[in-house]
Amino acid sequence: MMTFTSQILMLLLLLLSSIIFNKGVSTCNEKDQRTLLIFKKGIIDHFGRLSTWSSEEDCCAWKGVQCDNNTGRVTKLDLSPPYEEKQYNSLEGEINFVFLELEFLNYVDLRENEFDMIRIQPIHYNVTYASKLRYLDLSWNAYDIHIDNIHRVSELSSLKYLNLNGVDLHKETDWLQVFSMFPSLLELYLKDCNLNYISPSLKYMNITSLETLDLSLNNFNFELPKGLFNLTKDISYLDFSSSKIHGELPLSLSNLVNLTYLDLSYNQLKGSIPSWIGQLGNLQHVDFSYNMFLGSIPSTIGNLSSLVSLYIGSNFFSGVISEKTFSKLLNLKDLDLSNSTFASHFDPKWNPPFQLNRLSLANTKQISNFPSWIYTQKSLQVLDLSNVGISSKDGNKFLSFAGGISNLRLSNNSISGDISNVTLNSSYIAIDRNKFTGELPHISPKAELIDLSYNSFSGSIPRDWDNMKYLIDINLWSNRLAGEALIHLSNLKRLRVINLGKNQFSGMIPINLPQKLQVIILRDNQFEGNIPAQVFNLSSLFHLDLAHNNLSGSIPQSVYNMTPMIIGTINYIAGFRLNLFTKGEEYEFESYILRQTIDLSANNLYGEIPLELFRLIQVQTINLSHNNLSGTIPEMIKGMKNLESLDLSNNKFSGEIPQSMTFLTFLSFLNLSYNDFIGRIPVGTQLQSFDASSYNGNRELCGAPLKKCVIEEDPTRTNPSMENEDDDSLRESLYLGLGVGFAAGFWGICGLLFLVSKWRHMFLDRMTDKLYVTLMAKKNCSHKT
């Protein structure tokens, strides 16, 4: 009988032998390892992702490599970066198709790196050309990556999944025929491949196995070929969005009876939506938005009982929509009817059969009150009723219902009421351009974007706003708010945009503003004190507007570190419109239209402009007008070649306008009026293109477009000092002319003498004789004395 200790030892021996046995079986095949090392040679690996790829290590243990446990043959190659690393951990170099010599390889994923070349070598005669490869993903590498010979890829006869998104295929005119040669292909992704042609000989193609086809973001610029949809009936996913296709929907599209996903958005399709759309009973997602469709929505669309998402906004639809249109859509979750001219006739008592997650009726202008059926939608996460003409006075009731919706947009209506007791638990809140009154509503700490602009809110920013740690963008423009707002916002570390303009906020600008700030707009308030030097060290800042406040002191002399204004790097992307002032006027820009701006106008600033400001060479707008600033404009302003608008008016600047300003070729607005500039306006196309108002109020400034300078108007003026200066100039000119004449005559004669041999000898002989006689006479005279 075995003892307990013996049993333990036996188990350990069995476990150890199992480990050794398995390790021996899974050892990487030597030929596969050599092939992978050849593949690695073309890769540039800055971050050491392939540090384990060494001939001294078993290739089955290499990062991104997977082998069969029994044979040790490589079956999978996955070098796609993890999501959290893809921004900074990409591989570069070439994709060498030598990996196809791995005979048992069935999966290759090289997506989302920075490979800029694909090299397909001739395959050796004794290789089965990766006949087992089922999955190949080369998508989203370097923007100019391309395949020179796509026909070689078509030899992958077992391929079921092929993703070439972002690979440039613009040279391929028979691409569809090539891809139809894959007998087993189920999914084909050719998004953003710069495709611009479909062969007319579609009848010779065979893509009957295909289930997914993505051709979005291409440059087709033609009507959909009618024969394209006769090639397969098994396709379930079809995406032609943003591909510049036009014309009407072809009848052959109705053959795709298994279609579940259809996206034709952002094209130039026209005509009406045909009634046969109701025959595609398996449709779950339909997106016809941003086209040129006309007419009414066909009633047959209500037969699509499997429909989950319906996006038909941003067309030219008309007619009436009512509950009958949607009464059978039991599974509907997303509905977009925005930017249309429907007449809405919903029964006030209608209770829809669906529960929506997303609803957009924006810019339909057909609603005078909140549609009562919306109150039944308890699952809403996104609600957009912007610019629909709602004039309800019961904003409190509706916001109490909608306060939990994560993305709430009610912009540009006429909703009124005091909503100070309402709590908004949304992360995206846009209730701007309404008639809300009273104090600001309570807002959840999870809020990320808040736009309450163009209302009549009063009071101050609530103390609990200190807790909004996720806040990125806040817009309170044009209300009646007061108090020291920046105290409550300065500790919000994620904040990128502060727009508090046109209120009555007061206090000083704190030195500890959030470091990620990209836009600061404090215009038209009552802020006071100095501008902290720390403002000019916000490394992401590209728009600074502190105009029309009570700020004093000088502009800080610190080293400016605003990277976007120095090298032009800007990462700001957000969803709100911004009120920007440039070229002497107010503009309203979409927030993704970026302008590098410094506006410190209408304050009490004094002193000279720091030279650091003129090193911000990417700035487009500078406005320092209506202050007490002094000093001169330095020559180094010529480096600000992106400058479009410069306003230094109503200050105490002096000296001459530097000639270097003629290098500012983008300058389209200039105001130097009411300063102490002197001298002539530099001559150049740019500075003479402005009218006199740009220079008025500088008494000693002259030249076009102002009056001519005095010396040009009347050179004979009797001013004594001028006369003396003229006499001196004339005398200097006369002496200079005589000197030049004498020199010219002297060297002219000397030249002739030295050039003509006979004259030279005669002249030199005579001069020698004369000189000899003169010297002898002087010598005799000296002896006599």
Side-chain angles (χ1 to χ4, degrees):
M1 176 178 287
M2 297 179 64
T3 64
F4 178 77
T5 303
S6 301
Q7 290 176 338
I8 293 297
L9 287 173
M10 181 65 70
L11 287 173
L12 288 174
L13 286 172
L14 288 173
L15 179 61
L16 181 61
S17 63
S18 175
I19 293 173
I20 294 173
F21 176 78
N22 286 334
K23 182 177 180 181
V25 171
S26 63
T27 301
C28 178
N29 177 271
E30 200 172 309
K31 177 184 175 183
D32 288 357
Q33 181 160 311
R34 286 197 305 269
T35 301
L36 287 174
L37 288 175
I38 294 172
F39 171 72
K40 180 190 175 185
K41 285 183 180 179
I43 298 176
I44 301 171
D45 181 15
H46 293 296
F47 305 99
R49 283 180 56 195
L50 304 185
S51 58
T52 58
W53 285 42
S54 167
S55 57
E56 299 175 359
E57 299 287 339
D58 186 345
C59 78
C60 293
W62 291 356
K63 185 173 183 177
V65 177
Q66 185 173 311
C67 299
D68 184 276
N69 286 334
N70 296 320
T71 66
R73 303 303 298 267
V74 174
T75 59
K76 183 175 181 179
L77 180 60
D78 186 352
L79 297 181
S80 61
Y83 177 80
E84 64 277 5
E85 297 181 9
K86 66 182 180 180
Q87 296 291 333
Y88 58 88
N89 205 2
S90 297
L91 300 172
E92 300 177 16
E94 70 173 19
I95 298 174
N96 189 337
F97 265 51
V98 69
F99 62 72
L100 293 179
E101 295 187 16
L102 301 169
E103 299 171 60
F104 293 88
L105 188 68
N106 61 61
Y107 185 103
V108 176
D109 188 349
L110 305 176
R111 62 191 160 90
E112 296 180 343
N113 283 287
E114 291 295 329
F115 292 116
D116 56 9
M117 180 180 177
I118 297 176
R119 184 154 63 97
I120 306 178
Q121 295 177 321
I123 302 302
H124 301 308
Y125 68 92
N126 59 345
V127 176
T128 319
Y129 203 76
S131 60
K132 296 183 181 298
L133 192 64
R134 304 287 191 272
Y135 185 105
L136 178 59
D137 191 341
L138 308 179
S139 63
W140 307 125
N141 278 280
Y143 72 94
D144 56 350
I145 191 170
H146 63 280
I147 300 177
D148 284 329
N149 190 357
I150 201 170
H151 291 269
R152 301 304 304 271
V153 181
S154 66
E155 298 177 35
L156 303 175
S157 58
S158 298
L159 208 60
K160 293 183 180 297
Y161 177 101
L162 177 59
N163 192 335
L164 300 179
N165 288 346
V167 177
D168 190 350
L169 300 176
H170 79 276
K171 295 181 180 179
E172 305 295 333
T173 57
D174 58 347
W175 59 272
L176 186 56
Q177 187 171 357
V178 170
F179 292 119
S180 70
M181 297 169 64
F182 293 90
S184 305
L185 194 62
L186 299 177
E187 298 181 53
L188 177 60
Y189 297 90
L190 300 174
K191 183 175 186 175
D192 196 16
C193 289
N194 207 13
L195 295 168
N196 51 31
Y197 182 77
I198 291 183
S199 172
S201 56
L202 295 175
K203 62 182 179 180
Y204 300 108
M205 300 178 192
N206 179 19
I207 53 174
T208 54
S209 63
L210 203 62
E211 295 179 357
T212 297
L213 178 61
D214 187 347
L215 296 174
S216 59
L217 285 171
N218 282 291
N219 301 306
F220 294 125
N221 199 25
F222 51 62
E223 294 186 11
L224 286 171
K226 296 180 180 179
L228 179 62
F229 305 115
N230 292 324
L231 303 177
T232 176
K233 293 185 178 180
D234 293 331
I235 197 162
S236 61
Y237 183 107
L238 184 63
D239 190 347
F240 264 97
S241 61
S242 302
S243 287
K244 300 180 181 178
I245 58 175
H246 52 82
E248 299 185 0
L249 294 179
L251 179 60
S252 57
L253 188 61
S254 64
N255 296 330
L256 307 182
V257 293
N258 294 317
L259 203 60
T260 61
Y261 186 102
L262 177 60
D263 191 345
L264 302 176
S265 61
Y266 290 92
N267 284 293
Q268 292 94 47
L269 294 167
K270 60 182 181 180
S272 59
I273 295 180
S275 59
W276 51 253
I277 194 73
Q279 300 174 23
L280 303 178
N282 292 309
L283 274 176
Q284 297 177 13
H285 176 95
V286 174
D287 193 345
F288 291 155
S289 60
Y290 292 94
N291 277 285
M292 302 167 65
F293 288 117
L294 301 166
S296 303
I297 297 177
S299 58
T300 55
I301 208 166
N303 297 331
L304 303 177
S305 57
S306 299
L307 204 59
V308 175
S309 303
L310 178 61
Y311 299 96
I312 54 177
S314 300
N315 282 284
F316 299 101
F317 291 121
S318 57
V320 175
I321 57 170
S322 67
E323 64 275 9
K324 295 179 181 179
T325 312
F326 309 102
S327 59
K328 298 180 182 179
L329 305 183
L330 307 179
N331 298 296
L332 196 63
K333 298 295 182 184
D334 301 338
L335 178 61
D336 182 359
L337 304 176
S338 60
N339 301 300
S340 299
T341 57
F342 299 118
S344 302
H345 291 171
F346 289 100
D347 187 335
K349 297 181 180 180
W350 180 50
N351 190 0
F354 48 74
Q355 282 292 317
L356 297 176
N357 293 328
R358 302 169 59 94
L359 172 62
S360 178
L361 301 176
N363 301 306
T364 54
K365 287 289 187 181
Q366 298 296 323
I367 303 173
S368 60
N369 213 325
F370 293 111
S372 56
W373 64 268
I374 293 180
Y375 286 103
T376 69
Q377 303 300 295
K378 307 299 183 183
S379 301
L380 276 174
Q381 295 301 308
V382 177
L383 176 61
D384 191 348
L385 296 178
S386 301
N387 195 31
V388 297
I390 297 176
S391 58
S392 172
K393 295 182 179 180
D394 197 9
N396 193 312
K397 175 185 176 182
F398 184 77
L399 285 177
S400 297
F401 158 75
I405 296 173
S406 62
N407 191 317
L408 177 63
R409 307 180 189 218
L410 300 175
S411 306
N412 201 24
N413 287 290
S414 298
I415 312 170
S416 60
D418 183 340
I419 59 172
S420 55
N421 293 322
V422 172
T423 299
L424 301 178
N425 291 303
S426 308
S427 59
Y428 185 112
I429 303 168
I431 59 174
D432 54 295
R433 293 171 175 80
N434 281 285
K435 298 179 179 179
F436 293 116
T437 57
E439 296 188 353
L440 293 170
H442 300 287
I443 295 179
S444 166
K446 68 181 182 181
E448 297 179 18
L449 297 101
I450 301 173
D451 190 351
L452 309 181
S453 61
Y454 290 103
N455 280 288
S456 297
F457 290 114
S458 57
S460 58
I461 290 181
R463 289 184 176 276
D464 57 6
W465 281 31
D466 294 13
N467 301 320
M468 291 194 289
K469 305 302 182 184
Y470 300 100
L471 192 61
I472 296 172
D473 190 331
I474 180 169
N475 188 352
L476 301 178
W477 177 272
S478 190
N479 278 282
R480 300 172 183 173
L481 297 164
E484 298 192 27
L486 294 175
I487 292 177
H488 302 289
L489 302 177
S490 58
N491 292 322
L492 305 182
K493 304 302 182 185
R494 297 191 180 188
L495 204 57
R496 294 186 302 182
V497 177
I498 293 178
N499 188 352
L500 306 182
K502 289 197 174 183
N503 283 283
Q504 289 107 45
F505 290 120
S506 59
M508 301 178 69
I509 299 175
I511 61 174
N512 59 333
L513 288 171
Q515 291 299 303
K516 293 184 179 180
L517 276 172
Q518 296 172 318
V519 175
I520 300 176
I521 301 176
L522 306 181
R523 186 185 192 91
D524 277 329
N525 280 286
Q526 298 170 18
F527 291 105
E528 58 188 4
N530 295 336
I531 302 173
Q534 289 81 355
V535 170
F536 293 93
N537 280 299
L538 295 171
S539 59
S540 299
L541 190 67
F542 68 85
H543 186 91
L544 176 64
D545 187 349
L546 307 180
H548 292 267
N549 279 285
N550 298 319
L551 299 171
S552 57
S554 58
I555 301 175
Q557 296 280 347
S558 62
V559 176
Y560 295 175
N561 189 34
M562 297 177 284
T563 304
M565 299 194 193
I566 300 171
I567 62 175
T569 302
I570 298 175
N571 298 314
Y572 175 66
I573 301 174
F576 297 146
R577 298 173 71 88
L578 294 175
N579 299 83
L580 309 182
F581 288 78
T582 184
K583 302 179 182 179
E585 296 182 14
E586 178 180 357
Y587 297 87
E588 195 171 51
F589 286 93
E590 293 292 346
S591 53
Y592 55 81
I593 300 177
L594 310 171
R595 291 194 64 82
Q596 291 95 324
T597 299
I598 294 179
D599 192 340
L600 310 179
S601 61
N603 280 287
N604 299 310
L605 303 174
Y606 56 81
E608 297 187 3
I609 304 176
L611 292 180
E612 284 294 333
L613 187 141
F614 296 99
R615 294 191 174 98
L616 304 178
I617 58 175
Q618 298 293 333
V619 170
Q620 296 165 287
T621 296
I622 293 180
N623 190 348
L624 305 178
S625 65
H626 296 274
N627 281 288
N628 294 302
L629 297 167
S630 57
T632 60
I633 301 175
E635 288 283 344
M636 65 187 297
I637 195 173
K638 69 180 180 181
M640 306 183 78
K641 294 185 178 179
N642 294 292
L643 197 61
E644 299 176 14
S645 177
L646 176 63
D647 192 344
L648 304 179
S649 63
N650 292 276
N651 277 286
K652 297 177 181 178
F653 292 112
S654 58
E656 295 186 347
I657 298 173
Q659 182 69 34
S660 62
M661 283 189 66
T662 59
F663 290 94
L664 304 179
T665 54
F666 283 101
L667 199 62
S668 57
F669 178 87
L670 176 67
N671 193 350
L672 303 180
S673 63
Y674 298 99
N675 281 285
D676 296 316
F677 291 114
I678 62 173
R680 186 195 306 272
I681 297 172
V683 177
T685 305
Q686 206 67 24
L687 298 184
Q688 270 67 51
S689 66
F690 304 107
D691 59 36
S693 63
S694 294
Y695 305 100
N696 284 342
N698 294 280
R699 290 177 296 177
E700 297 186 39
L701 195 63
C702 62
L706 300 178
K707 64 181 181 179
K708 290 184 178 181
C709 293
V710 173
I711 191 169
E712 296 175 344
E713 268 186 349
D714 187 4
T716 62
R717 287 183 63 186
T718 58
N719 187 314
S721 61
M722 291 298 293
E723 287 180 357
N724 291 336
E725 290 176 6
D726 290 345
D727 290 342
D728 291 341
S729 299
L730 182 60
R731 191 177 299 112
E732 291 174 3
S733 300
L734 178 59
Y735 292 157
L736 182 61
L738 289 171
V740 172
F742 174 81
F746 176 80
W747 287 110
I749 295 172
C750 291
L752 286 172
L753 290 174
F754 283 95
L755 290 172
V756 182
S757 173
K758 183 177 180 180
W759 289 11
R760 181 174 67 247
H761 290 299
M762 184 186 301
F763 178 80
L764 290 176
D765 290 343
R766 291 184 178 180
M767 287 297 293
T768 302
D769 293 342
K770 189 173 182 179
L771 182 60
Y772 176 77
V773 172
T774 303
L775 290 173
M776 292 302 295
K778 288 187 176 182
K779 182 177 181 183
N780 292 334
C781 289
S782 63
H783 284 304
K784 289 179 180 180
T785 58

